[in-house]
Amino acid sequence: DDGEESESVRHTVCMVSDFFYPNVGGVESHIYQLSQCLIERGHKVVVVTHAYGNRTGIRYLTNCLKVYYLPVATFYNQNSLPTIITTLPLFRDIFVREEVTIVHSHSAFSVLGQEAIIHSQILGLRTVFTDHSLFGFADASSIITNKLLEVSLANINHVICVSNTSKENTVLRAALQPSIVSVIPNAVDATQFTPNPSARTPGRITIVVISRLVYRKGMDLLAGIIPEICALYDNVDFLIGGDGPKRIVLEEVREKYQLHDRVTLLGAVDHADVRDVSWV
């Protein structure tokens, strides 16, 4: 009976993050896809993010997914200016109006997401946080982010990480009890990325990398293994799609080891073209 009752419960979930469409990225796509799945299961979902240019107010996406673009200022890398107090009336109005039961914040870098957790706990709402990336412990940015995360997650109900390594990282950074942290790996629809055998070069193996070229995506590790693999295997090539500050590191490796014919850098790749890049 308890199981049947829990199945019939319908929640109103509020997804909060500084990173959402029209900005493009993994967190943005994750929030959208998760929201669509929850709507299909009968739950109500609203998304709260900051305004992007003239995109302010309320907009609707597929399946009547309601998105609030709040008129708050941004100051760095699409992050809202941290104020805490000024966003409280905005969040309270949304939570009351939409009858929110669960607030789900995404990304440790999102100031808006951290403020939403704090306000939700003040209002007695249940809170969930998903950490999408790994962070360090030594540099100034990581130290500040980790301290803020420790404060905002002090009374969190549950935390979701995308890998076991991410779980260990988040538990240490935010001083969390491991028992309230779950691991749910990012889902990939493999049928959308099936290689096309006819597009392959006979006798060659191509390693395809599609990622933002940043430190936390492991680009330094990639730069280290490319010359090693190329030296060991003459029939291996690299095809790298994406852009970021670590692109120059990959270019330097390609230049140093004279791998121009074996390492191809495509630059930024549109989402619609990722499937074609993987057909090699």
Side-chain angles (χ1 to χ4, degrees), residues 55-88:
R55 188 182 292 255
T56 60
I58 298 174
R59 303 292 178 96
Y60 287 89
L61 302 182
T62 307
N63 289 331
C64 295
L65 175 60
K66 192 174 185 179
V67 184
Y68 286 86
Y69 290 93
L70 302 184
V72 295
T74 58
F75 77 110
Y76 173 72
N77 198 24
Q78 294 296 345
N79 256 309
S80 301
L81 185 67
T83 59
I84 299 181
I85 297 175
T86 58
T87 54
L88 175 57

Side-chain angles (χ1 to χ4, degrees), residues 19-31 212 217 271:
F19 313 114
F20 194 65
Y21 299 138
N23 199 50
V24 178
V27 175
E28 293 84 345
S29 177
H30 175 90
I31 295 173
R212 278 181 293 173
K217 296 293 184 180
H271 278 206

Side-chain angles (χ1 to χ4, degrees), residues 164-269:
N164 289 303
T165 301
S166 176
K167 175 180 177 178
E168 294 175 2
N169 183 262
T170 303
V171 167
L172 290 174
R173 287 163 46 224
L176 295 170
Q177 291 294 329
S179 58
I180 68 167
V181 183
S182 298
V183 175
I184 304 178
N186 288 327
V188 176
D189 186 356
T191 61
Q192 298 296 318
F193 299 94
T194 303
N196 180 10
S198 64
R200 293 174 178 168
T201 303
R204 308 294 297 179
I205 296 174
T206 302
I207 298 175
V208 181
V209 179
I210 302 290
S211 173
R212 278 181 293 173
L213 306 185
V214 295
Y215 168 77
R216 68 175 184 271
K217 296 293 184 180
M219 290 304 110
D220 292 280
L221 297 176
L222 179 63
I225 66 170
I226 285 177
E228 297 287 341
I229 292 178
C230 289
L232 290 173
Y233 305 99
D234 295 332
N235 64 332
V236 175
D237 300 323
F238 284 85
L239 183 62
I240 303 172
D243 206 353
K246 290 297 181 179
R247 174 168 180 163
I248 189 172
V249 176
L250 298 174
E251 290 176 343
E252 289 173 349
V253 168
R254 183 175 64 175
E255 184 72 28
K256 178 179 179 180
Y257 294 94
Q258 296 297 304
L259 298 172
H260 297 84
D261 58 333
R262 299 181 63 185
V263 178
T264 303
L265 299 173
L266 299 176
V269 178

Side-chain angles (χ1 to χ4, degrees), residues 3-56:
E4 293 179 359
E5 184 179 350
S6 62
E7 286 293 325
S8 64
V9 174
R10 293 293 178 263
H11 290 284
T12 298
V13 182
C14 181
M15 304 283 185
V16 186
S17 180
D18 279 302
F19 313 114
F20 194 65
Y21 299 138
N23 199 50
V24 178
V27 175
E28 293 84 345
S29 177
H30 175 90
I31 295 173
Y32 176 78
Q33 297 293 344
L34 177 58
S35 299
Q36 294 298 325
C37 290
L38 289 172
I39 290 172
E40 289 181 4
R41 293 177 68 91
H43 302 287
K44 178 182 176 181
V45 182
V46 297
V47 178
V48 178
T49 187
H50 65 73
Y52 282 87
N54 61 356
R55 188 182 292 255
T56 60

